[in-house]
Amino acid sequence: MAQFHNIKFLKEVEGLSQRQIATKLGISRNTVSKYLKNNTAPTTVLRKTVYATKEYSPETKRIIPIIDQWLEEDQKNWRKQKHSAIKIFKRLQDEYDFKGSASNIRKIVAKRRQQIQEAFIPLDFQLGHQFQFDWGEADIILQGRKQRIFLFCVQLSASRIRFVRAYLHEKQEAFLDGFVHAFEFLGGVPTEGLLDNLKTAVTKILQGRDRLEQESFIGLQAHYVFKAEFCNPASGNEKGRVEGTVGYIRRNALVPLPEVQSVKELNDYLLDWCLKEAGRTHVPNKSETVLEMWEKEKEYLHPLPANRFEACKLLSCKVNKTSLITVETNRYSVPCSYVGQAVWAKIFVDRVIVVAQNQVIAEHIRSYERNQMITVLDHYLEVLLKKPRAIRDAHAFQSIEIPDVFKRFHLKMREQEGSTGDKKFIRLLLLHRDIGMDNLTKALLEAEKTQVFRYEKVHEIIQRLTNRHIPIRTLPTDKTPINLLDYKVDKSNIEQYGQLTGGTRK
């Protein structure tokens, strides 16, 4: 445009010839002639029109319908698995003996894609109507080591408020647990949720929008009274709100990589980040911030139910001979009275609860290691009464959860009384069911200071610490060794005492 202006000015105002203009501007005389002859400013629109009407060569015209067909087929495929321009060029060479250049094919592909690009409709969601959900991934520094975590992301479509929670996996229990925490954070439940066809939610994709859903996910919907809507396969753009949220969170909340000691610490940070972000960002095309709009939307959400949903996976197990059940390669103990029975394991994100006859019989912190054995000493006390010698090497007794004073006290009782010391020590352990582990630990520490390692001494200290009478436990007849049942104690003979004192009484 500037060159056109200079040529016109030099010709019409200064009266220079075409040759003089070309010499002065350092351009071709043909260029000067072209601009003066057309007498039309070379605007951007004009240039696009001129180049757009350029005729393709016969060789290029031959392959354009083929390119259009491939691009149309790509519209039905996953967006991450479509033809690139260079792939189209190579296929044309291999399959259609194309002789043209790769640069020409790139220009044609870019132009044809613009012509078939999908059109979208701007949406304005009703308050309290919809939320969108998606999983994301990110790296953090957990206890000094890089760890890949999974982000459970929910966003309300109207107010744009975000909720993010980190998990170590994307299993069903994490999927369900995320919704429990999300609804509690949001302060209510929207009418419907839009999500992908995840295996944790969908068993089978039916015709159209119909889905055969997982029973546990249907239970979640029934508990919180919302309806799930699923995107078409490979159509994540249908939930564009939360699709953008995943990347935004990763770039803004988790860069640089946060260094935390636990997933709980990370989730506290993410929750705080969501609230701060809501307070400083505005809803598009609105004057309110996300936080202000969220306060309005809370009034339109369905209230939370009185009870929390049990976000767990149920697993039927059989208790083996060592009073253990197996959950994902790890073994957890239950009371020994349930050996051989079938029980249910409720697998939560952070714990495993074992149920039998509608009663909780054991609860453990969930292990994410492999081939671990997690035992509780209390589960084995009844069988230890029958096999007291096993206490020394029992796995549960070696646990770091058992205070060191227990091990020291047992060693002394065993040194002083042998196998009888084992039996009496197990009777001591049983006392924790009456007074609690803390009081029993205090009693053992106090007895240790007196250097008296006897059951009776500990029992006496416990009565003083708790200000109540704790009966000395006796062994049930069916659990008492046979030789003790046959043992008889003779009654004292008062006449013998009289003989020793010379026949007088005082």
Side-chain angles (χ1 to χ4, degrees):
M1 182 64 76
Q3 192 176 70
F4 175 75
H5 171 262
N6 289 335
I7 291 171
K8 292 277 289 182
F9 186 84
L10 293 174
K11 178 65 178 176
E12 297 182 9
V13 177
E14 296 189 12
L16 300 183
S17 67
Q18 290 185 18
R19 184 184 300 276
Q20 289 171 325
I21 293 172
T23 302
K24 186 169 184 176
L25 296 180
I27 59 177
S28 168
R29 194 172 65 179
N30 292 336
T31 302
V32 176
S33 175
K34 182 183 70 173
Y35 279 126
L36 291 176
K37 187 182 295 183
N38 292 337
N39 200 29
T40 304
T43 61
T44 302
V45 174
L46 178 63
R47 290 201 300 275
K48 285 185 176 180
T49 303
V50 170
Y51 289 122
T53 57
K54 181 181 177 181
E55 282 289 323
Y56 291 122
S57 68
E59 177 70 356
T60 302
K61 286 181 180 179
R62 179 174 70 89
I63 52 86
I64 284 179
I66 300 169
I67 294 175
D68 288 343
Q69 180 185 346
W70 289 347
L71 294 179
E72 286 288 346
E73 291 173 354
D74 276 350
Q75 298 302 306
K76 304 172 186 177
N77 299 331
W78 186 31
R79 63 184 178 85
K80 294 182 180 180
Q81 201 168 350
K82 296 183 179 182
H83 281 88
S84 64
I86 196 65
K87 176 62 178 177
I88 289 176
F89 172 67
K90 289 179 179 178
R91 281 192 67 182
L92 290 172
Q93 282 185 319
D94 296 340
E95 301 175 25
Y96 295 91
D97 196 26
F98 179 63
K99 304 299 184 184
S101 67
S103 61
N104 191 33
I105 294 300
R106 281 197 293 268
K107 293 175 184 177
I108 292 172
V109 169
K111 185 175 181 180
R112 310 305 276 194
R113 276 182 174 153
Q114 285 182 346
Q115 293 175 0
I116 63 173
Q117 193 168 13
E118 185 179 359
F120 297 95
I121 302 170
L123 303 175
D124 191 6
F125 291 93
Q126 300 174 17
L127 291 174
H129 179 67
Q130 188 193 79
F131 72 85
Q132 297 181 7
F133 158 77
D134 199 11
W135 280 110
E137 296 182 23
D139 288 336
I140 63 168
I141 305 299
L142 180 61
Q143 297 180 355
R145 298 171 58 186
K146 184 179 285 189
Q147 171 76 45
R148 175 64 52 88
I149 53 143
F150 300 88
L151 301 172
F152 181 98
C153 305
V154 162
Q155 186 170 28
L156 291 184
S157 299
S159 64
R160 308 292 183 95
I161 185 69
R162 299 183 179 96
F163 170 81
V164 190
R165 188 171 178 83
Y167 293 93
L168 295 175
H169 54 75
E170 297 176 304
K171 296 178 182 179
Q172 190 178 62
E173 55 269 31
F175 176 69
L176 299 174
D177 185 75
F179 283 110
V180 173
H181 286 89
F183 294 146
E184 290 176 358
F185 169 80
L186 296 174
V189 186
T191 304
E192 72 172 33
L194 186 61
L195 57 159
D196 287 327
N197 300 280
L198 304 167
K199 289 183 179 179
T200 49
V202 175
T203 302
K204 186 178 181 180
I205 298 176
L206 304 176
Q207 195 170 20
R209 292 278 184 175
D210 294 334
R211 302 290 187 271
L212 182 62
E213 299 178 40
Q214 292 278 7
E215 185 176 348
S216 58
F217 186 51
I218 296 174
L220 178 82
Q221 294 176 63
H223 188 84
Y224 288 105
V225 196
F226 75 96
K227 182 173 178 58
E229 292 290 337
F230 298 94
C231 298
N232 287 312
S235 300
N237 58 286
E238 293 182 6
K239 52 179 180 58
R241 291 275 194 276
V242 77
E243 287 280 343
T245 288
V246 173
Y248 185 84
I249 293 165
R250 191 162 41 226
R251 293 187 300 270
N252 292 275
L254 301 174
V255 175
L257 302 188
E259 298 185 24
V260 295
Q261 293 302 308
S262 67
V263 176
K264 182 183 181 304
E265 181 183 345
L266 175 64
N267 283 328
D268 290 341
Y269 161 73
L270 289 172
L271 206 61
D272 185 59
W273 180 86
C274 287
L275 292 172
K276 288 180 179 177
E277 194 70 13
R280 61 173 171 252
T281 56
H282 282 75
V283 180
N285 306 316
K286 305 284 184 182
S287 60
E288 298 100 327
T289 65
V290 171
L291 198 61
E292 291 168 342
M293 184 65 80
W294 178 36
E295 289 300 323
K296 291 182 179 180
E297 188 163 20
K298 284 181 182 179
E299 299 177 7
Y300 294 85
L301 299 175
H302 299 297
L304 292 168
N307 300 320
R308 214 183 204 200
F309 181 77
E310 276 201 321
C312 65
K313 180 171 65 177
L314 278 176
L315 179 67
S316 177
C317 307
K318 186 174 182 179
V319 183
N320 67 14
K321 292 181 180 180
T322 52
S323 200
L324 297 168
I325 62 169
T326 302
V327 176
E328 296 180 344
T329 78
N330 294 319
R331 290 170 292 168
Y332 300 86
S333 69
V334 300
C336 57
S337 57
Y338 291 92
V339 167
Q341 296 187 30
V343 296
W344 286 99
K346 292 183 176 181
I347 308 170
F348 292 82
V349 169
D350 55 350
R351 65 195 189 280
V352 174
I353 294 178
V354 188
V355 179
Q357 290 87 47
N358 295 323
Q359 290 186 339
V360 175
I361 61 173
E363 183 170 352
H364 299 272
I365 296 174
R366 183 176 177 179
S367 172
Y368 282 101
E369 302 294 329
R370 291 184 61 81
N371 301 311
Q372 300 295 303
M373 185 162 61
I374 299 95
T375 56
V376 174
L377 183 58
D378 184 67
H379 294 163
Y380 296 92
L381 292 181
E382 278 76 14
V383 73
L384 281 170
L385 283 173
K386 298 178 182 179
K387 303 176 182 180
R389 189 175 178 181
I391 183 63
R392 180 181 58 186
D393 302 312
H395 179 273
F397 192 56
Q398 307 306 320
S399 169
I400 58 173
E401 303 295 327
I402 303 297
D404 289 339
V405 66
F406 282 77
K407 298 168 186 177
R408 296 195 302 267
F409 212 89
H410 169 249
L411 184 62
K412 289 294 185 180
M413 290 183 73
R414 186 180 181 84
E415 288 177 356
Q416 293 178 6
E417 302 183 71
S419 60
T420 304
D422 288 334
K423 299 172 187 175
K424 290 184 176 180
F425 181 73
I426 295 164
R427 291 171 60 197
L428 273 179
L429 292 177
L430 283 165
L431 292 177
H432 90 274
R433 296 180 180 176
D434 296 322
I435 64 171
M437 185 60 80
D438 289 341
N439 282 330
L440 182 56
T441 304
K442 290 177 184 178
L444 291 179
L445 287 171
E446 189 170 331
E448 187 180 43
K449 291 178 183 178
T450 66
Q451 292 296 298
V452 178
F453 301 96
R454 300 185 67 84
Y455 176 88
E456 293 76 15
K457 180 64 177 178
V458 177
H459 189 273
E460 177 188 330
I461 294 171
I462 288 172
Q463 287 185 315
R464 178 161 43 83
L465 287 175
T466 59
N467 292 319
R468 62 192 180 99
H469 175 69
I470 304 296
I472 295 178
R473 287 178 176 266
T474 57
L475 294 179
T477 303
D478 60 336
K479 295 181 179 179
T480 304
I482 296 174
N483 60 333
L484 286 181
L485 289 172
D486 295 336
Y487 188 77
K488 304 296 182 182
V489 179
D490 293 334
K491 295 182 179 180
S492 299
N493 189 341
I494 195 68
E495 297 299 329
Q496 293 177 350
Y497 177 77
Q499 293 175 2
L500 290 174
T501 56
T504 60
R505 299 183 183 179
K506 294 184 180 181

Coordinates of all heavy atoms in Angstrom, one line a residue, residues 148-211:
R148 N 2.9 -38.9 39.5 CA 1.8 -38.6 38.6 C 0.4 -38.7 39.4 O 0.2 -39.8 40.0 CB 1.8 -39.5 37.4 CG 0.6 -39.4 36.5 CD 0.6 -38.0 35.8 NE 1.8 -37.6 35.2 CZ 2.1 -38.0 33.9 NH1 1.3 -38.7 33.2 NH2 3.3 -37.6 33.4
I149 N -0.4 -37.7 39.4 CA -1.7 -37.7 40.1 C -2.8 -37.5 39.1 O -2.5 -37.0 38.0 CB -1.7 -36.6 41.2 CG1 -1.4 -35.3 40.6 CG2 -0.8 -37.0 42.4 CD1 -2.1 -34.1 41.2
F150 N -4.0 -37.7 39.5 CA -5.2 -37.6 38.6 C -6.1 -36.6 39.3 O -6.4 -36.7 40.5 CB -5.8 -39.0 38.5 CG -4.9 -40.0 37.8 CD1 -4.1 -40.8 38.6 CD2 -4.9 -40.1 36.5 CE1 -3.3 -41.7 38.0 CE2 -4.0 -41.0 35.9 CZ -3.2 -41.8 36.7
L151 N -6.5 -35.6 38.5 CA -7.3 -34.5 38.9 C -8.8 -34.7 38.6 O -9.2 -34.8 37.4 CB -6.8 -33.2 38.3 CG -5.4 -32.9 38.6 CD1 -5.0 -31.6 37.7 CD2 -5.2 -32.6 40.1
F152 N -9.6 -34.8 39.6 CA -11.1 -34.9 39.5 C -11.6 -33.4 39.3 O -11.5 -32.7 40.3 CB -11.7 -35.6 40.7 CG -13.2 -35.7 40.6 CD1 -13.7 -36.9 40.2 CD2 -14.0 -34.7 41.0 CE1 -15.1 -37.1 40.2 CE2 -15.4 -34.8 40.9 CZ -16.0 -36.1 40.5
C153 N -12.1 -33.1 38.1 CA -12.4 -31.7 37.9 C -13.9 -31.5 37.6 O -14.5 -32.2 36.7 CB -11.6 -31.1 36.7 SG -9.9 -31.2 36.9
V154 N -14.6 -30.6 38.3 CA -16.0 -30.3 38.1 C -16.2 -28.8 38.0 O -15.5 -28.1 38.7 CB -16.9 -30.9 39.3 CG1 -18.2 -30.2 39.3 CG2 -17.0 -32.4 39.2
Q155 N -17.0 -28.4 37.0 CA -17.3 -27.0 36.9 C -18.8 -26.8 36.6 O -19.4 -27.5 35.8 CB -16.5 -26.4 35.7 CG -16.7 -24.9 35.6 CD -15.7 -24.3 34.6 OE1 -15.3 -24.9 33.6 NE2 -15.3 -23.0 34.8
L156 N -19.4 -25.8 37.4 CA -20.8 -25.5 37.1 C -20.8 -24.7 35.8 O -20.1 -23.7 35.7 CB -21.3 -24.7 38.3 CG -21.5 -25.4 39.6 CD1 -22.2 -24.5 40.7 CD2 -22.4 -26.7 39.4
S157 N -21.7 -25.0 34.9 CA -21.8 -24.4 33.6 C -22.2 -22.9 33.7 O -21.8 -22.1 32.8 CB -22.7 -25.2 32.7 OG -22.2 -26.5 32.5
A158 N -23.1 -22.6 34.6 CA -23.6 -21.2 34.7 C -22.6 -20.3 35.4 O -22.2 -19.3 34.8 CB -24.9 -21.2 35.4
S159 N -22.2 -20.5 36.6 CA -21.4 -19.6 37.4 C -19.9 -19.8 37.1 O -19.1 -19.0 37.5 CB -21.6 -19.8 38.9 OG -21.3 -21.1 39.3
R160 N -19.5 -20.9 36.5 CA -18.1 -21.3 36.2 C -17.3 -21.6 37.4 O -16.0 -21.6 37.3 CB -17.5 -20.1 35.4 CG -18.2 -19.7 34.1 CD -18.3 -20.7 33.1 NE -18.9 -20.2 31.9 CZ -18.3 -19.7 30.8 NH1 -17.0 -19.6 30.8 NH2 -19.0 -19.3 29.8
I161 N -17.8 -21.8 38.5 CA -17.1 -22.2 39.7 C -16.4 -23.5 39.5 O -17.0 -24.5 39.0 CB -17.9 -22.2 41.0 CG1 -17.0 -22.5 42.2 CG2 -19.0 -23.2 40.9 CD1 -16.1 -21.3 42.6
R162 N -15.1 -23.7 39.9 CA -14.4 -24.9 39.7 C -14.2 -25.7 41.0 O -14.1 -25.0 42.0 CB -13.0 -24.7 39.1 CG -13.0 -24.0 37.7 CD -11.6 -23.8 37.3 NE -11.5 -23.2 36.0 CZ -11.2 -21.9 35.8 NH1 -11.1 -21.1 36.8 NH2 -11.1 -21.4 34.6
F163 N -14.2 -27.0 40.9 CA -13.8 -27.8 42.0 C -12.8 -28.8 41.5 O -13.0 -29.5 40.5 CB -15.0 -28.6 42.6 CG -14.6 -29.6 43.6 CD1 -14.3 -29.3 44.9 CD2 -14.5 -31.0 43.2 CE1 -13.9 -30.3 45.8 CE2 -14.1 -32.0 44.1 CZ -13.8 -31.6 45.4
V164 N -11.7 -29.0 42.2 CA -10.6 -29.9 41.8 C -10.2 -30.7 43.1 O -10.0 -30.1 44.1 CB -9.4 -29.1 41.3 CG1 -8.4 -30.1 40.6 CG2 -9.8 -28.1 40.3
R165 N -10.0 -32.0 42.9 CA -9.5 -32.9 43.9 C -8.5 -33.9 43.3 O -8.8 -34.4 42.2 CB -10.6 -33.6 44.6 CG -10.2 -34.4 45.9 CD -11.5 -34.9 46.6 NE -11.1 -35.6 47.8 CZ -10.8 -35.1 49.0 NH1 -10.8 -33.8 49.1 NH2 -10.5 -35.9 50.0
A166 N -7.4 -34.1 44.0 CA -6.4 -35.0 43.5 C -6.5 -36.4 44.0 O -6.8 -36.6 45.2 CB -5.0 -34.4 43.8
Y167 N -6.3 -37.4 43.2 CA -6.3 -38.8 43.6 C -5.0 -39.5 43.0 O -4.4 -39.0 42.0 CB -7.5 -39.5 43.1 CG -8.8 -39.0 43.8 CD1 -9.6 -38.0 43.2 CD2 -9.2 -39.5 45.0 CE1 -10.7 -37.5 43.9 CE2 -10.3 -39.1 45.6 CZ -11.1 -38.1 45.1 OH -12.2 -37.6 45.7
L168 N -4.7 -40.7 43.5 CA -3.6 -41.4 43.0 C -4.0 -42.4 41.9 O -3.1 -43.0 41.3 CB -2.9 -42.3 44.2 CG -2.3 -41.4 45.3 CD1 -1.8 -42.4 46.4 CD2 -1.1 -40.6 44.7
H169 N -5.3 -42.4 41.6 CA -5.8 -43.3 40.5 C -7.1 -42.8 40.1 O -7.7 -41.9 40.7 CB -5.9 -44.8 41.0 CG -6.7 -44.9 42.2 ND1 -8.1 -44.8 42.2 CD2 -6.3 -45.1 43.5 CE1 -8.5 -45.0 43.5 NE2 -7.4 -45.2 44.3
E170 N -7.7 -43.4 39.0 CA -9.0 -43.1 38.5 C -10.0 -44.2 38.7 O -11.0 -44.3 37.9 CB -8.9 -42.7 37.0 CG -8.0 -41.6 36.7 CD -7.9 -41.3 35.2 OE1 -7.4 -42.3 34.5 OE2 -8.2 -40.2 34.7
K171 N -9.8 -45.0 39.7 CA -10.7 -46.2 39.9 C -12.1 -45.7 40.4 O -12.3 -44.6 40.7 CB -10.0 -47.1 40.9 CG -8.7 -47.8 40.4 CD -8.1 -48.7 41.5 CE -6.8 -49.3 41.0 NZ -6.2 -50.1 42.0
Q172 N -13.0 -46.7 40.4 CA -14.4 -46.4 40.7 C -14.6 -45.7 42.0 O -15.3 -44.7 42.1 CB -15.2 -47.6 40.6 CG -16.7 -47.4 40.7 CD -17.5 -48.7 40.6 OE1 -17.4 -49.5 41.4 NE2 -18.3 -48.8 39.5
E173 N -13.8 -46.1 43.0 CA -14.0 -45.5 44.4 C -13.5 -44.0 44.4 O -14.1 -43.2 45.0 CB -13.2 -46.3 45.4 CG -11.8 -46.6 45.2 CD -11.5 -47.8 44.4 OE1 -12.4 -48.3 43.6 OE2 -10.4 -48.4 44.6
A174 N -12.5 -43.7 43.6 CA -12.1 -42.3 43.5 C -13.1 -41.5 42.7 O -13.4 -40.3 43.0 CB -10.7 -42.2 42.8
F175 N -13.6 -42.1 41.6 CA -14.7 -41.5 40.8 C -15.9 -41.1 41.7 O -16.4 -39.9 41.6 CB -15.1 -42.4 39.7 CG -16.2 -42.0 38.8 CD1 -16.0 -40.9 38.0 CD2 -17.4 -42.6 38.8 CE1 -17.1 -40.5 37.1 CE2 -18.5 -42.2 38.0 CZ -18.3 -41.2 37.2
L176 N -16.4 -42.0 42.5 CA -17.5 -41.8 43.4 C -17.2 -40.8 44.5 O -18.0 -39.9 44.8 CB -18.0 -43.1 43.9 CG -18.5 -44.1 42.9 CD1 -18.8 -45.4 43.6 CD2 -19.7 -43.6 42.1
D177 N -16.0 -40.9 45.1 CA -15.6 -40.1 46.2 C -15.5 -38.6 45.7 O -15.8 -37.7 46.5 CB -14.2 -40.6 46.7 CG -13.8 -39.8 47.9 OD1 -14.4 -40.0 49.0 OD2 -12.9 -38.9 47.8
G178 N -15.0 -38.4 44.5 CA -14.9 -37.1 43.9 C -16.2 -36.3 43.9 O -16.3 -35.2 44.2
F179 N -17.3 -37.0 43.5 CA -18.6 -36.4 43.4 C -19.1 -36.1 44.8 O -19.7 -35.0 45.0 CB -19.6 -37.3 42.7 CG -19.5 -37.3 41.2 CD1 -19.0 -38.4 40.6 CD2 -19.8 -36.2 40.5 CE1 -18.8 -38.4 39.2 CE2 -19.6 -36.2 39.1 CZ -19.2 -37.3 38.5
V180 N -18.8 -36.9 45.8 CA -19.3 -36.6 47.2 C -18.7 -35.3 47.7 O -19.3 -34.4 48.2 CB -18.9 -37.8 48.1 CG1 -19.2 -37.4 49.6 CG2 -19.6 -39.1 47.8
H181 N -17.3 -35.2 47.5 CA -16.7 -34.0 47.9 C -17.0 -32.7 47.1 O -17.1 -31.6 47.6 CB -15.2 -34.2 47.9 CG -14.6 -35.0 49.0 ND1 -14.5 -36.4 48.9 CD2 -14.2 -34.7 50.3 CE1 -14.1 -36.9 50.0 NE2 -13.9 -35.9 50.9
A182 N -17.3 -33.0 45.8 CA -17.7 -31.9 44.9 C -19.0 -31.3 45.3 O -19.1 -30.0 45.4 CB -17.7 -32.4 43.4
F183 N -20.0 -32.1 45.5 CA -21.3 -31.6 45.9 C -21.3 -30.9 47.2 O -22.0 -29.9 47.4 CB -22.3 -32.7 45.9 CG -22.6 -33.3 44.5 CD1 -22.9 -34.7 44.4 CD2 -22.6 -32.5 43.4 CE1 -23.1 -35.2 43.1 CE2 -22.8 -33.1 42.1 CZ -23.1 -34.4 42.0
E184 N -20.5 -31.4 48.2 CA -20.4 -30.7 49.5 C -19.7 -29.4 49.3 O -20.1 -28.4 50.0 CB -19.6 -31.7 50.4 CG -20.4 -32.9 50.8 CD -19.6 -33.8 51.7 OE1 -18.4 -33.6 52.0 OE2 -20.1 -34.9 52.1
F185 N -18.7 -29.3 48.4 CA -18.0 -28.0 48.2 C -19.0 -27.0 47.5 O -19.1 -25.8 47.9 CB -16.8 -28.2 47.3 CG -16.2 -26.9 46.8 CD1 -15.4 -26.2 47.6 CD2 -16.4 -26.5 45.5 CE1 -14.8 -25.0 47.1 CE2 -15.9 -25.3 45.0 CZ -15.1 -24.6 45.9
L186 N -19.7 -27.5 46.5 CA -20.6 -26.6 45.8 C -21.8 -26.1 46.6 O -22.4 -25.1 46.3 CB -21.1 -27.3 44.5 CG -20.1 -27.7 43.5 CD1 -20.7 -28.5 42.4 CD2 -19.4 -26.4 42.9
G187 N -22.2 -26.9 47.6 CA -23.3 -26.5 48.5 C -24.6 -27.0 48.0 O -25.7 -26.5 48.5
G188 N -24.6 -27.9 47.1 CA -25.9 -28.5 46.6 C -25.6 -29.3 45.3 O -24.4 -29.5 44.9
V189 N -26.7 -29.7 44.7 CA -26.5 -30.6 43.5 C -27.3 -30.0 42.3 O -28.5 -29.7 42.4 CB -27.1 -32.0 43.9 CG1 -26.9 -33.0 42.7 CG2 -26.5 -32.6 45.2
P190 N -26.6 -29.9 41.2 CA -27.3 -29.4 40.0 C -28.2 -30.5 39.4 O -28.2 -31.7 39.9 CB -26.1 -29.2 39.0 CG -24.9 -29.1 39.8 CD -25.1 -30.0 41.0
T191 N -29.1 -30.1 38.5 CA -30.1 -31.0 37.9 C -29.4 -32.1 37.1 O -29.9 -33.3 37.2 CB -31.1 -30.3 37.1 OG1 -31.6 -29.2 37.9 CG2 -32.2 -31.2 36.6
E192 N -28.4 -31.8 36.3 CA -27.8 -32.8 35.5 C -26.3 -32.6 35.4 O -25.8 -31.5 35.7 CB -28.4 -32.8 34.1 CG -28.0 -31.6 33.2 CD -28.5 -31.8 31.8 OE1 -29.6 -32.4 31.6 OE2 -27.8 -31.2 30.9
G193 N -25.6 -33.7 35.0 CA -24.2 -33.6 34.8 C -23.8 -34.2 33.5 O -24.4 -35.1 33.0
L194 N -22.8 -33.5 32.8 CA -22.4 -33.9 31.5 C -21.0 -34.5 31.6 O -20.1 -33.9 32.2 CB -22.4 -32.7 30.6 CG -22.0 -33.0 29.1 CD1 -23.1 -33.9 28.5 CD2 -22.0 -31.7 28.3
L195 N -20.8 -35.7 31.2 CA -19.5 -36.4 31.3 C -19.2 -37.3 30.1 O -20.1 -37.6 29.3 CB -19.4 -37.1 32.6 CG -20.4 -38.2 33.0 CD1 -19.8 -39.1 34.1 CD2 -21.7 -37.5 33.6
D196 N -17.9 -37.8 30.1 CA -17.6 -38.8 29.0 C -18.1 -40.1 29.3 O -18.6 -40.4 30.4 CB -16.0 -38.8 28.9 CG -15.5 -37.6 28.3 OD1 -16.1 -37.0 27.4 OD2 -14.3 -37.2 28.6
N197 N -17.9 -41.1 28.4 CA -18.4 -42.4 28.5 C -17.3 -43.3 29.3 O -16.7 -44.2 28.7 CB -18.7 -43.0 27.2 CG -19.8 -42.3 26.4 OD1 -20.9 -42.4 26.7 ND2 -19.3 -41.4 25.5
L198 N -17.1 -42.9 30.5 CA -16.0 -43.6 31.3 C -16.5 -45.0 31.7 O -17.7 -45.2 32.0 CB -15.7 -42.8 32.6 CG -15.3 -41.3 32.4 CD1 -15.4 -40.6 33.7 CD2 -14.0 -41.3 31.8
K199 N -15.6 -45.9 31.8 CA -15.9 -47.3 32.3 C -16.4 -47.3 33.7 O -17.2 -48.2 34.1 CB -14.7 -48.2 32.1 CG -14.3 -48.5 30.7 CD -13.1 -49.5 30.7 CE -12.7 -49.8 29.2 NZ -11.6 -50.7 29.1
T200 N -16.0 -46.3 34.5 CA -16.5 -46.3 35.9 C -17.9 -45.8 36.0 O -18.6 -45.9 37.0 CB -15.6 -45.3 36.7 OG1 -15.4 -44.1 36.0 CG2 -14.2 -46.0 37.0
A201 N -18.5 -45.3 34.8 CA -19.9 -44.8 34.8 C -20.7 -45.6 33.8 O -21.9 -45.8 34.1 CB -19.9 -43.3 34.5
V202 N -20.1 -46.0 32.7 CA -20.9 -46.7 31.7 C -20.4 -48.1 31.4 O -19.2 -48.3 31.2 CB -20.8 -45.8 30.4 CG1 -21.5 -46.5 29.2 CG2 -21.3 -44.5 30.5
T203 N -21.4 -49.0 31.4 CA -21.0 -50.4 31.1 C -21.1 -50.6 29.6 O -20.2 -51.3 29.0 CB -22.1 -51.4 31.8 OG1 -22.0 -51.1 33.2 CG2 -21.7 -52.8 31.5
K204 N -22.0 -50.0 28.9 CA -22.2 -50.2 27.5 C -22.8 -49.0 26.8 O -23.8 -48.5 27.4 CB -23.0 -51.5 27.2 CG -23.1 -51.9 25.8 CD -23.9 -53.2 25.6 CE -24.0 -53.6 24.1 NZ -24.8 -54.9 24.0
I205 N -22.3 -48.6 25.7 CA -22.9 -47.5 24.9 C -24.0 -48.1 24.0 O -23.8 -49.0 23.2 CB -21.9 -46.8 24.0 CG1 -20.8 -46.2 25.0 CG2 -22.5 -45.7 23.2 CD1 -19.7 -45.5 24.2
L206 N -25.3 -47.6 24.2 CA -26.4 -48.1 23.4 C -26.7 -47.2 22.2 O -25.8 -46.4 21.9 CB -27.6 -48.3 24.3 CG -27.4 -49.2 25.5 CD1 -28.7 -49.2 26.4 CD2 -27.0 -50.6 25.1
Q207 N -27.8 -47.2 21.7 CA -28.1 -46.4 20.5 C -28.4 -45.0 20.9 O -29.1 -44.7 22.0 CB -29.4 -47.0 19.8 CG -29.6 -46.4 18.4 CD -30.6 -47.2 17.6 OE1 -31.5 -47.8 18.2 NE2 -30.6 -47.1 16.3
G208 N -27.9 -44.0 20.1 CA -28.1 -42.6 20.4 C -27.5 -42.2 21.7 O -26.3 -42.4 22.0
R209 N -28.3 -41.5 22.6 CA -27.8 -41.1 23.9 C -28.0 -42.1 25.0 O -27.6 -41.8 26.1 CB -28.5 -39.8 24.3 CG -28.2 -38.6 23.4 CD -26.9 -37.9 23.8 NE -26.6 -36.7 23.0 CZ -25.6 -35.9 23.2 NH1 -24.7 -36.2 24.2 NH2 -25.4 -34.9 22.5
D210 N -28.5 -43.2 24.7 CA -28.8 -44.2 25.8 C -27.5 -44.9 26.2 O -26.7 -45.2 25.4 CB -29.8 -45.2 25.3 CG -31.2 -44.6 25.0 OD1 -31.5 -43.6 25.7 OD2 -32.0 -45.1 24.2
R211 N -27.4 -45.2 27.5 CA -26.3 -45.9 28.0 C -26.7 -46.9 29.1 O -27.7 -46.7 29.8 CB -25.3 -44.9 28.7 CG -24.8 -43.7 27.8 CD -23.8 -44.2 26.8 NE -23.2 -43.1 26.1 CZ -23.7 -42.6 25.0 NH1 -24.9 -43.1 24.5 NH2 -23.1 -41.6 24.3

